[in-house]
Structures are given as C-alpha cells and as structure tokens.
Amino acid sequence: MSLEWVGSVLAGTTSVGVVYLLGSLGEIYAERSGILNLGLEGIMALGAATSFITTIAWGHAVAFFVAGVLGILMGLLLAFFTVSLRLNQIAVGLAITMLGSGLSGFIAFPTTRKTILRALNPELPSTALEAQSAPMLPSAPLPFLKDVPIAGPMLFNHNPVVYVSLILAPTMWFLLFRTSVGLKIRSVGENPGMADALGINVFRIRYLTCMLSGAFSAMAGAYLILGFQPFWIEGITGGRGFITLSLIILSAWSPLRAVFGSLLFGGIEVLQYRLQLFGFGAASPQFVLMLPYAIAVITLSLLSIESFRKRISAPAALAKPYYREE
Amino acid sequence: MDKSVRKISRREFLGVTKAVAIGGIVAAGIAGGVSGYLARTPEVKEVTKTVAAWPPVEGLRPIKVGYVYVGPVGDYGWSYGHDRGRRWADERFKNVESFYIESVPEPEVISAIESLVAKGCELIITTSFGFMDGTAEAAGKYPDKYFVHISGYRSGAAGNAPQNMSAAFAEFYQLYYLCGLAAGAITQTGVIGYVGAYPIPEVVRHINAYILGAQYAYKKRTGKNIKAHVTWLFSWVAPEDARLAASALIDDKNCDVLNYTEDTPAVLMVAEDYQKKGRKVWSFSHYSDMRAYGPTAHLTGPVANWGPIYLDFYRMVATNTWQSVDIWSRVGDYMPWRWRQPLEKSTAGKEEGTVYLAPISPVIPNEWVNLIKQRYEEMKEYLFEPFTVEGHDPDGKEPIRDQDGNVRIGPGERADRGTLWSMDWLVEYIEEPLPK
C-alpha cells in the first residue's frame, strides 16, 4: 500500500462523500428543528434529473441554481403537509420520495428530455439532445496544495463544488451551535412549545429548515451527476438518500461530524472494489458490497429505540408535529 | 406510417400512484394535476400502429406482439437493446402492432403477460432470464398463444416447456474474444481488467473469451503471458459502482484495457477520463455502439441487434408455421449467407446479423486489425473457435487451464455448447478467484 494508493483511495472517498455531505448538511438543520425529511432520496433524484437536463441546455452554474430552487419547492411541499397540515412526517416523506423518483424518471426519459431541451434551448445540436450523459464539472486543482501527499489528492484536487461543500460544513456547524439563529432552530426541535412561549416562530423556522433541506438534497443530486458520475439512469441515486439519513444519526446531528460520516460512507463505497482486488473477501464480495446498506439499516433501527435516542441526544421533538393549542 | 407514442412508464406510473395513495391526504395539492394526467395513462402502451395500407400478403395476417422488459427502455442497456430490436422488426414487418411493458419485476411476469394477452397479443416475448419459469407457466395456460423467452434454457424444442414456447439468445463470447485480441495488441502494461456484473456462466465465458484473446495477441506480440484482474459489481446497471471498480483496476492494478458487463458506458467513460489526463487507458462498447462516450478510448466492442430474431418469430406466427426452437445466435447467423470474406472486404466493425463488432478503432495496429477481421470471418464458417488450443496459444500447443492449473480444453478439443453454457471456472491468467 503505497502513499499513492492511499491518496487515490482518499481522492475517490472525497468525491463520493460529498454527495452524502451535501445531502446531510441541509437535513441536519431540518432534523434539528424537528422535521424528518424522508423525501431526501426523491428530492435528490429530482435534483439529479433537472440538473442533468439544465446543464446540457444552460451550463453548470444554472443547473445547480435550478436544482436548488426545485429543491426549495419540494421543501415547501414537505413543510406544507408536515408543518401546516401536521401530517405524519414519515408518510409524507415517503410520498415525496416516490413522487421525486417517479418524476425524475419521467422528465429525464429520452423523449420527454428532448422536448424539454428543445424548449429550453432551441439551438442545441442533436448530439446534445441525444446524449445520455451530462458534461462533468471541470476539475480545479489548487496550486501547490494539490501536491501535498495524501491531503493533496484527498482535498485539493477536485471540482469547485467539493471545496464549497467542505467549507460549508464548518460554517453551518458554527451557525447551528454558536449563533442565536442556530439556538432557535435547535430549541424548536427540542421543545417547540417552550420555544413558542419564548416568542420563536416555530412554523417559520420549520418552513425555512424544510426549504434548506430540500435545496441541499437537490444539490446533492446535482453533484452526483455533474461531479461524480455523469451518465444518467433511472434510479441514479441508488438509495444514497437513505444512506444520508442514516449517516446523520451516526454523526449525531452535527455538521462537522457529518464530514467524517460522509467520508466514512464514501470510503466504504470506494474500498468495496479496491478490497476485492486485494483479495479481501474476494471469494464472496457480495458481503463487502452490502456494507453501506447494512450500516444504514442498523443505524435507522437503532433510532427507533427510545433509550438510544436519548443517549445520542436526538432532537426530542424529531418527527413530531407541533400543535400550538395543546 | 408508424406512429410511436411515448407515454409514462409503468415504474413512474406506480411510483406516482403509490405516492398519491399513501398521501391520500397529501394528494389534495399534488394529485389534482398529476393524477389527472395519469388517469388517462394505460399500463400497457401501444407503441406502433399500422395506419397506412400495407398490401395484404396472401396468408400473412396482421399480428399483435407483446414484449415484457425487465428494465426501463430509456436507459442505455439491456432493455433498451431489446426495444431497439422491436422497432427494427416492426419497421420491416410492417403489418404488426407491438406493445411493451417495461420495468417488470421478475415475479410479476405472469400478470404482465396476462395484460398483453388481454390486449390481443398472440406472440409474447419476455426478455429476462428471471422471466423463464413464469413464461413457461403462461405458455401452458395459453396454448393458442406463442411465447419466446430470451436468455434462458426452457423451450418446447429443449423438451422442458410447452411446444408453444421458444428460447433465444444472442451470444457474445466470440466477440469478446475479438475484443481480447484488440486488448492484447494494444496493452502497454500487459495487465488488463474486467468489470463483471454477476459471476454467472454467461459472464464467466465472456471474461474467459476476452482473456484468451488477449493472451493470444500479447503472447504473440511479446512472448509473455497476459495478467488479468476481475472485479464484481453484483448488479447489471450500476454506473457509479462500475466507475469506482474501473478506477480501482486502473489505479491499483495498472490495467490499461478494460472490458465489462454493465449496461451503461460508465467504464468506457472512465477510460476516456484517463485519456484526457494523459494516461493511455482503453475500453469497449457494450450492446450498442458507444463510441460517443469515449471517442479516444474506444477500441471496438460487442453489439447486438435482436431485430432479426424477432422478425423471424413474427414470420412464423403470421404464416402459421410455428415450431418451437432454441436459438443461440452467434457470428454468421441471420446473415444472407455464411461465407467468409477476404480481408479487404471483411465486414468486421459493420452492422450485420444479430451480433457484430462496433467500429474498430484505427489506433489498433494494422496487423492486429487484420487478425481480428480474419478471425471474425472464419467464425462465420465455423472455421475458428475461441475456446480451443489454437485460440489460446499462438504456437497451438498450450492447453487452456483454469486457475488451479487443471487442463480444461486440450489439443484437438473445442468447447461445446454445454461447456460454454455452464462455465464455472476462470482461465489461469486471472488473479482473483471466482466468487461462489
């Protein structure tokens, strides 16, 4: 295992991990305010589909913007049903996941996609209309830093979205734990009745975090297809939304720990294939391939145990609708 | 003439309807628009319809054909290939109405077949291995309909299914061998890789054929043995995983020619990325011509056209000449005649029959392009088979051995269909064991 090998594994780890990191940053805010956004997977798929199409029509920057706006709309939908109508967050979340996955397959289907692309940009050449893959984000290696052993390939030889995500994580941690806005968000998730009595607008906070979570989920999808794997297939997210949900629990709702959680899951994904080639579990690689899903299932099941939730200090009002009158 | 109408797919339909169902309440807002749109969406899609007059051929009645696909047709892979075959056959047969249901889970094949029968289809084609038993059951249930199952082994002809069921497969191992020749001719590191879907006989014989071809060319070129590495995805469609697996083969094992069984061009795209970064890595097309996804890295590749097979069954049904058959279509089949062409007229790299090579890249040195063409032409006349000592060793002496050193195919032998169909061993040059 040379230094080069480690660097190459870690470079892959970061480029996969950012999918999880982006998804978890918004979701942590939502869960800290008491909203469980199970629609993450669907919003991610929708973000991937829309950014795939808009990138071809208008380029990368617009694609992230459009995905973000669409994510905000999906977040509003979630907020409307869970905050205003106080419906069961699990059911609404799953419904949004199915809606998002279905819609993503629909709009990115070759014939629909061609129609949309023609409408968005009539001057596109036919190769662009036919292409089943998105142009990838250009890599922007940072001079000097990229040559540092291990840290260079891991952190400083990627596309700009990776850098932005890595800077966002500590920023969002600071906002959540060191500012009064963050305190409000957290108190709404711990004890909405008390927060309300103190004059915090529970509904407004929860609407905002829903929108934030939607935007970040959609941008995670956009990064998935523009930054990591540019070929479109239906179901491109492959359960990554649910894995994100479980890594949030692993990182105990902290944006900083989420960086490590994301890199852990990214690392497992990368190592699956590296390990096969080193003879690790080569006779039954399916067990290694199962790892990320197994960890997701275990953490999600643990969350349903009351004492475990207390120990990892889960937001007390997570997934509970708030009634002002009671 | 032909009018292709694309409507919402079954998976999308189910996805959205489930969403509407669960959020019955949720639905209030969304459903208004969405379900209104969906309400008029039938589950079975009518895709072609003969509108204009086609001169009625005596004794050739119009037919209705139904297809059951395991995946979505919008992707680039297996089901897409079958749908292309359907359109090819429809275009030529003309007097046909065809229907398809996509993304059918394997246990649900019977209900899919039933809805196609209800549509009036008399020929039903199911295109996934997992549909085999369900198709045989339906064939028993509807003795007056005709069934074709792709990639299985049950048919009336084989004696393990009703007489109204046929089996068919377009076989690639010969083409993988030719890809191997290209790999052995161009590799600089002497190490080649393969990203496999599942360790099943079909994939295993494709891997072995690829490695044998590479060994032949590399040995002849350098006198050394080829080294090969295989990783497994345990999935047919997984571009992210294929991407990671391909990078692992390149970065960790120094492989510079990668072949694969995965339904997207992901591996080819990885090779192209490395080419852009200045590292010579090559790859292939798979099931359709994928040159657009790796213009520099593309060497050639196995391509299938299921159309001629389907057209054959259309004819049988329309002319009342059905006979249960077990088709294993290889190079040279479904061509006007079986005759090898001289090198300068070789059709290697051009569309013909049911299985053929994607265009051959000019980066492969001429003598090796000629060998690829020669072998391709010889295969048409059964003059050459990959799984022989002659296919393995340039001197025609070394037998084909498995990873444990056992001789599997000796001098004068040629792997028969049974051996190929149930292949469960890897050739000696591969370093990873075969997962059990």
Side-chain angles (χ1 to χ4, degrees):
Chain A
M1 291 200 199
S2 63
L3 217 58
E4 208 177 313
W5 184 83
V6 177
S8 137
V9 169
L10 290 176
T13 299
T14 310
S15 68
V16 183
V18 166
V19 179
Y20 299 122
L21 180 60
L22 271 175
S24 60
L25 286 180
E27 178 69 13
I28 285 174
Y29 270 55
E31 294 194 12
R32 279 281 177 184
S33 76
I35 300 282
L36 180 64
N37 176 13
L38 273 188
L40 204 149
E41 172 90 8
I43 302 176
M44 204 187 250
L46 202 58
T50 45
S51 57
F52 165 41
I53 294 171
T54 42
T55 297
I56 295 175
W58 294 328
H60 291 123
V62 184
F64 271 91
F65 180 74
V66 172
V69 169
L70 203 76
I72 289 177
L73 290 178
M74 294 295 278
L76 273 176
L77 195 69
L78 175 80
F80 176 70
F81 289 120
T82 56
V83 179
S84 298
L85 299 185
R86 302 184 184 85
L87 295 175
N88 183 318
Q89 293 184 9
I90 311 249
V92 173
L94 287 176
I96 286 180
T97 281
M98 286 174 201
L99 180 75
S101 313
L103 273 179
S104 71
F106 178 63
I107 61 172
F109 189 88
T111 43
T112 357
R113 188 173 73 222
K114 264 180 233 170
T115 319
I116 298 174
L117 279 173
R118 275 202 204 96
L120 292 182
N121 186 349
E123 279 151 35
L124 282 176
S126 67
T127 46
L129 294 177
E130 298 289 339
Q132 183 86 6
S133 67
M136 275 181 100
L137 284 166
S139 174
L142 300 180
F144 307 116
L145 284 174
K146 74 174 162 52
D147 300 321
V148 178
I150 298 191
M154 181 180 180
L155 299 175
F156 305 120
N157 194 359
H158 290 280
N159 58 56
V161 177
V162 173
Y163 305 139
V164 172
S165 319
L166 290 173
I167 296 169
L168 268 177
T171 316
M172 289 183 68
W173 174 86
F174 185 82
L175 274 178
L176 190 58
F177 290 104
R178 293 287 182 274
T179 65
S180 63
V181 181
L183 184 65
K184 282 180 187 169
I185 292 175
R186 285 182 291 134
S187 58
V188 164
E190 291 297 335
N191 191 338
M194 190 71 83
D196 202 3
L198 289 173
I200 298 170
N201 189 333
V202 175
F203 298 99
R204 193 203 288 160
I205 296 262
R206 287 191 169 178
Y207 258 86
L208 285 175
T209 55
C210 278
M211 283 152 62
L212 196 69
S213 167
F216 271 92
S217 313
M219 283 196 277
Y223 170 80
L224 175 63
I225 193 159
L226 301 180
F228 170 48
Q229 193 288 110
F231 190 81
W232 169 261
I233 56 160
E234 210 180 308
I236 189 168
T237 44
R240 286 191 174 77
F242 292 112
I243 290 179
T244 306
L245 286 168
S246 87
L247 87 82
I248 288 170
I249 299 164
L250 272 185
S251 49
W253 295 271
S254 153
L256 270 188
R257 278 189 291 250
V259 177
F260 299 103
S262 306
L263 293 179
L264 174 74
F265 275 95
I268 293 173
E269 250 184 75
V270 172
L271 278 175
Q272 290 167 354
Y273 302 100
R274 306 275 170 155
L275 290 178
Q276 276 192 37
L277 288 174
F278 275 95
F280 180 85
S284 44
Q286 48 285 54
F287 288 102
V288 188
L289 298 183
M290 199 180 65
L291 268 179
Y293 302 99
I295 293 179
V297 168
I298 292 168
T299 47
L300 285 176
S301 335
L302 281 176
L303 188 67
S304 63
I305 304 169
E306 189 66 35
S307 59
F308 181 78
R309 285 167 63 131
K310 287 222 173 84
R311 185 174 315 153
I312 59 168
S313 66
L318 183 57
K320 288 180 189 143
Y322 172 60
Y323 296 89
R324 193 167 204 177
E325 292 76 21
E326 285 168 12
Chain B
M1 283 276 295
D2 287 3
K3 194 176 126 211
S4 293
V5 185
R6 156 68 200 172
K7 286 175 183 161
I8 201 160
S9 92
R10 186 167 175 275
R11 184 192 287 179
E12 293 146 19
F13 175 78
L14 283 179
V16 183
T17 36
K18 270 183 211 154
V20 172
I22 290 190
I25 331 125
V26 182
I30 338 159
V34 179
S35 67
Y37 177 71
L38 292 171
R40 54 192 169 78
T41 310
E43 198 169 294
V44 181
K45 284 141 293 183
E46 183 173 334
V47 275
T48 56
K49 193 168 194 171
T50 322
V51 185
W54 167 251
V57 182
E58 210 68 39
L60 206 99
R61 60 171 198 273
I63 56 166
K64 284 188 182 178
V65 185
Y67 287 81
V68 184
Y69 301 139
V70 70
V73 298
D75 296 350
Y76 219 67
W78 174 257
S79 296
Y80 167 84
H82 285 283
D83 200 53
R84 220 178 31 175
R86 175 187 64 76
R87 294 197 302 265
W88 192 95
D90 285 4
E91 219 170 85
R92 280 154 187 81
F93 196 82
K94 298 215 163 52
N95 209 1
V96 57
E97 250 187 279
S98 69
F99 305 85
Y100 69 81
I101 309 181
E102 63 179 326
S103 302
V104 175
E106 293 182 337
E108 286 172 27
V109 60
I110 296 186
S111 62
I113 291 175
E114 277 165 358
S115 42
L116 289 169
V117 168
K119 274 270 168 193
C121 297
E122 51 182 325
L123 172 62
I124 287 160
I125 299 171
T126 58
T127 64
S128 175
F129 180 81
F131 292 157
M132 180 170 66
D133 293 333
T135 309
E137 201 182 319
K141 194 171 157 194
Y142 300 106
D144 56 335
K145 308 286 179 209
Y146 300 103
F147 294 86
V148 176
H149 177 250
I150 303 295
S151 77
Y153 51 82
R154 290 186 70 177
S155 65
N160 47 18
Q163 283 302 321
N164 56 337
M165 177 167 167
S166 284
F169 194 59
E171 177 55 50
F172 269 170
Y173 73 90
Q174 296 164 307
L175 298 175
Y176 270 106
Y177 178 83
L178 299 176
C179 292
L181 290 181
I186 206 156
T187 176
Q188 288 305 310
T189 59
V191 190
I192 61 170
Y194 197 105
V195 178
Y198 286 96
I200 59 170
E202 178 194 334
V203 178
V204 168
R205 69 175 172 266
H206 292 169
I207 295 175
N208 282 342
Y210 170 64
I211 308 298
L212 284 179
Q215 163 69 9
Y216 180 95
Y218 193 66
K219 183 85 189 263
K220 194 166 173 186
R221 211 181 96 205
T222 66
K224 288 183 282 189
N225 285 343
I226 197 86
K227 267 193 204 151
H229 296 276
V230 179
T231 50
W232 300 97
L233 301 176
F234 287 84
S235 174
W236 294 109
V237 188
E240 307 91 44
D241 296 340
R243 173 164 279 266
L244 295 172
S247 319
L249 286 167
I250 299 165
D251 289 347
D252 295 358
K253 295 297 178 182
N254 212 9
C255 298
D256 65 350
V257 193
L258 302 184
N259 214 332
Y260 56 97
T261 310
E262 196 267 339
D263 277 2
T264 71
V267 176
L268 177 60
M269 289 163 83
V270 171
E272 187 71 17
D273 288 350
Y274 277 88
Q275 291 272 4
K276 277 185 198 146
K277 284 188 247 165
R279 184 159 166 184
K280 299 277 179 217
V281 179
W282 313 93
S283 189
F284 301 88
S285 281
H286 181 62
Y287 267 110
S288 42
D289 181 353
M290 294 175 171
R291 268 177 304 167
Y293 295 96
T296 318
H298 182 267
L299 292 177
T300 173
V303 182
N305 176 12
W306 299 88
I309 300 178
Y310 294 154
L311 187 60
D312 203 19
F313 284 111
Y314 285 16
R315 281 200 199 104
M316 278 195 215
V317 170
T319 54
N320 304 318
T321 52
W322 175 271
Q323 201 180 0
S324 176
V325 286
D326 185 355
I327 291 170
W328 204 38
S329 180
R330 295 186 296 169
V331 173
D333 289 332
Y334 289 91
M335 290 186 193
W337 28 262
R338 267 189 180 277
W339 205 265
R340 75 177 141 152
Q341 299 274 11
L343 277 187
E344 62 277 12
K345 286 188 184 170
S346 169
T347 45
K350 298 197 176 79
E351 180 175 344
E352 61 180 353
T354 57
V355 292
Y356 52 92
L357 280 179
I360 302 170
S361 164
V363 298
I364 304 171
N366 239 335
E367 49 169 319
W368 297 101
V369 173
N370 285 344
L371 182 71
I372 292 170
K373 287 181 174 171
Q374 183 194 334
R375 295 299 190 222
Y376 179 80
E377 296 299 332
E378 285 171 352
M379 284 173 186
K380 290 182 185 171
E381 284 191 61
Y382 306 121
L383 295 171
F384 174 81
E385 263 293 295
F387 285 95
T388 55
V389 169
E390 290 72 30
H392 166 227
D393 182 24
D395 302 323
K397 284 183 203 146
E398 286 295 313
I400 299 177
R401 292 190 183 86
D402 64 18
Q403 290 174 309
D404 299 327
N406 304 318
V407 173
R408 291 290 185 157
I409 294 154
E413 285 177 345
R414 166 190 266 212
D416 59 8
R417 191 188 168 189
T419 309
L420 295 173
W421 197 254
S422 57
M423 192 166 272
D424 60 353
W425 48 271
L426 291 171
V427 291
E428 56 182 316
Y429 311 104
I430 300 169
E431 300 207 348
E432 289 72 27
L434 183 63
K436 295 287 182 213

